[in-house]
Every structure is written in C-alpha cells, then in structure tokens.
C-alpha cells in the first residue's frame, strides 16, 4: 500500500505549485507509480505538470445521469461503465498518471454515482505507490472525501499572522468534521524570515500538527507559471524546489511519505 499526501490551504497560497513539485520530487526518487489527483474544480494541476486533461470525473458523473434514463440502451452495468469511463479520463505520462475531479454535483443530487465513484477512486488509488491530492481552497472537497485515507495532510500557509490564523481555523474545521490524517503538517510558503516559523509553532503548540518548514518567495517559480511552463522545467537548484525537497526528505525519513 502506497502513501497518500493531500495539500490544502486557503486560496492562492501555493497549493498547486507545491503539489506539482512534490510529484516531481517523488518521480525523481523513483517512487512510481504516482497518481496525481486534481481535486480543484478549476483544474490547474495539469498545466503545472505539463499535460492536459480532456475529461473529468465530474463530467463522467454527468454522463452517468444520462445513462440512468430509461431507454438509454446501456448494456453493461453502471458500475462497470463508471469504472471504464474513469480509466479513460486518466491522463498518462511517463512519470505520473493524473485524474481531475472537475465540478462537484450540478443541480440535483446523484448520490448513487457519487458513492460508486468514491469506491472506484479508492480502488484506483491502491494501484499506486504514491498519491498526491491537490485540493481547492478551503475544506469543501476534503469533506467530500475524494480519497478516504490520507497519510499526510499538508496545510500550506502564507507567512502573515492573519494567514497563519486562517490555517489554524482550517485545521480546527478539519477536527470538527472528524477528518483526520496519519500526520498533519504546515508548510509556510513565500516566507521572508524565520520568525514566521516561530509564529506558526506558537499557534499550533497545543496540537499534533508539525511545522514542517518554510519555503522562500522566488520569482523564478512565478515567472515559470506565468509563462505556462511545467514544474519539471525549473532548475534542480531552484530555491523553492530545494526547500521543498528538504521537507519531503524529512517526511520520507519519518515514514510519513
Ligand atoms: N514560493 C513561491 N514564490 C513565488 N511564487 C510562488 C511561490 N509559490 C507559489 N507561487 C505563485 O503563486 C501563484 C499561486 O500559486 P498556486 O496556484 O500554486 O496557489 P494555489 O494555492 O494552488 O491557488 P488556488 O487556491 O487558486 O488553487 C502562482 O502564480 C505561483 O507561481
Ligand atoms: Mg490550486
């Protein structure tokens, strides 16, 4: 059984960037096969990984609604059909596979398809050595439980006192919603000084959340993203990648990755 890492945090803090760089790091460590899960309805992870998603799980769910209509001529079971469609929506690269969740339910609940999909995704995740989930801002889709078990949850925070306080609230919401993970940690992104780590430690001192480290602000990362480049084209010595690699190396040593 592989390890599942989920990245969460408030809007624009760098979740997708760090999720994509984590996939690069895992690939460079030959932690194959790797499944990247884009759980943000505004599918962005594909561009940062240099691939393009053509169909999402949300679209499969919508199609499944049509299949449920009488006279749709379906000859295979709905479960088989969903399994097949999900397989077809996976983007395969040499280095990783990617699945995008797309939009959640449109108008009207379709609980049957959702339940089946959850089972399909859980089964799918079991085939991979590493699963990395990039979440949308906030906790909405964590509560939908895209994948049931998360070994390592990473809260990405900006370094400001307000940003850290928001991260603490997200953690509390997680607790209230009974969403646990094998381990939880905070990465402070775009850090300008080391004091922000002390502030973070002070805020989480009464919890099991570990303050994993800080990542500097680095123009090269922003420029690359603005130019539509993938994280694989960043130089290995890039400051953001180096700082993240040190954090991931520690998580691996602690058996949380
Ligand atoms: N350490 C960093 N240094 C410089 N720029 C960064 C850094 N981390 C992220 N960025 C830039 O910040 C912007 C937002 O990053 P990203 O899309 O990863 O955030 P997000 O949390 O996934 O946003 P959203 O909530 O919209 O999904 C991007 O342009 C990215 O290149
Ligand atoms: Mg994002």
């Amino acid at each position: 059984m592989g390890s599942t890492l989920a990245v969460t945090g408030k809007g624009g803090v760098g979740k997708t960037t760090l999720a994509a760089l984590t996939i690069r790091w895992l690939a460079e460590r030959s932690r194959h096969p790797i499944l990247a899960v884009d759980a943000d309805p505004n599918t962005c992870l594909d561009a940062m990984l240099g691939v393009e998603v053509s169909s999402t799980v949300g679209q499969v769910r919508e199609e499944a609604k049509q299949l449920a209509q009488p006279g749709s001529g379906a000859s295979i079971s709905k479960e088989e059909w969903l399994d097949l469609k999900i397989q077809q929506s996976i983007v395969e690269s040499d280095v990783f596979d990617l699945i995008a969740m797309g939009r959640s339910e449109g108008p009207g609940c379709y609980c049957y398809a959702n339940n089946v999909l959850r089972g399909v995704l859980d089964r799918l995740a079991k085939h991979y050595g590493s699963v990395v989930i990039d979440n949308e801002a906030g906790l909405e889709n964590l509560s939908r439980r895209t994948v049931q078990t998360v070994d390592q949850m990473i809260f990405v925070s900006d370094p400001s006192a307000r940003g850290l306080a928001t991260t603490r609230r997200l953690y509390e919401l997680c607790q209230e919603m009974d969403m646990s993970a094998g381990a939880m940690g905070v990465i402070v992104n775009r850090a300008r000084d080391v004091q922000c780590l002390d502030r973070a430690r002070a805020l989480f001192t009464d919890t099991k959340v570990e303050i994993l480290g800080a990542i500097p602000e680095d123009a090269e990362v922003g420029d690359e993203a603005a130019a539509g480049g993938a994280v694989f084209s960043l130089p290995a010595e890039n400051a953001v990648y180096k700082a993240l690699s040190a954090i991931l190396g520690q998580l691996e040593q602690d058996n949380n990755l």
Side-chain angles (χ1 to χ4, degrees):
M1 181 70 199
S3 68
T4 300
L5 176 142
V7 182
T8 188
K10 74 178 177 114
V13 287
K15 298 178 292 299
T16 305
T17 306
L18 299 188
L21 284 168
T22 299
I23 288 156
R24 169 172 165 174
W25 185 85
L26 288 166
E28 286 173 0
R29 311 269 301 177
S30 302
R31 295 279 300 269
H32 298 116
I34 302 165
L35 178 65
V37 180
D38 189 345
D40 187 339
N42 303 308
T43 312
C44 292
L45 186 61
D46 58 347
M48 283 210 201
L49 290 172
V51 293
E52 201 178 330
V53 159
S54 56
S55 124
T56 67
V57 171
Q59 285 162 348
V60 172
R61 188 193 290 108
E62 288 304 308
E63 272 186 66
K65 285 188 190 174
Q66 307 304 319
L67 198 76
Q69 307 305 317
S72 59
S75 58
I76 54 172
S77 82
K78 210 185 294 172
E79 192 155 351
E80 283 171 320
W81 183 88
L82 279 167
D83 241 330
L84 185 74
K85 281 286 181 180
I86 294 292
Q87 287 297 336
Q88 286 170 351
S89 67
I90 296 174
V91 180
E92 292 178 10
S93 86
D94 295 344
V95 184
F96 58 84
D97 289 353
L98 169 68
I99 187 159
M101 302 306 294
R103 306 239 148 249
S104 56
E105 298 106 281
C109 174
Y110 198 58
C111 301
Y112 174 77
N114 278 331
N115 288 338
V116 174
L117 279 176
R118 208 166 285 138
V120 169
L121 284 175
D122 269 339
R123 275 208 304 284
L124 182 70
K126 287 197 180 81
H127 294 130
Y128 291 85
S130 314
V131 179
V132 176
I133 308 170
D134 175 33
N135 285 292
E136 73 181 300
L139 285 177
E140 211 207 307
N141 82 48
L142 284 184
S143 66
R144 267 189 257 128
R145 294 184 201 233
T146 305
V147 172
Q148 293 286 327
T149 29
V150 171
D151 301 300
Q152 175 73 54
M153 174 102 81
I154 291 188
F155 294 93
V156 182
S157 182
D158 74 50
S160 69
R162 191 181 289 178
L164 287 166
T166 305
T167 305
R168 164 82 204 203
R169 273 202 301 282
L170 276 178
Y171 159 74
E172 280 164 9
L173 273 169
C174 265
Q175 300 296 100
E176 279 167 30
M177 286 151 80
D178 219 13
M179 280 188 279
S180 64
M184 291 188 174
V186 172
I187 293 181
V188 183
N189 191 20
R190 297 169 176 269
R192 283 175 219 100
D193 52 40
V194 284
Q195 282 88 332
C196 62
L197 284 181
D198 294 336
R199 280 201 295 274
R201 278 191 201 99
L203 258 180
F204 285 91
T205 181
D206 58 329
T207 71
K208 286 188 178 155
V209 177
E210 204 184 329
I211 307 305
L212 299 172
I215 293 193
E217 167 87 34
D218 181 84
E220 202 174 14
V221 167
D223 292 348
E224 194 65 47
V231 291
F232 295 97
S233 47
L234 276 179
E237 65 277 9
N238 171 268
V240 168
Y241 189 50
K242 271 177 76 174
L244 181 66
S245 299
I247 292 170
L248 296 174
Q250 189 60 52
L251 285 179
E252 188 178 52
Q253 251 183 41
D254 297 343
N255 286 322
N256 288 333
L257 188 65

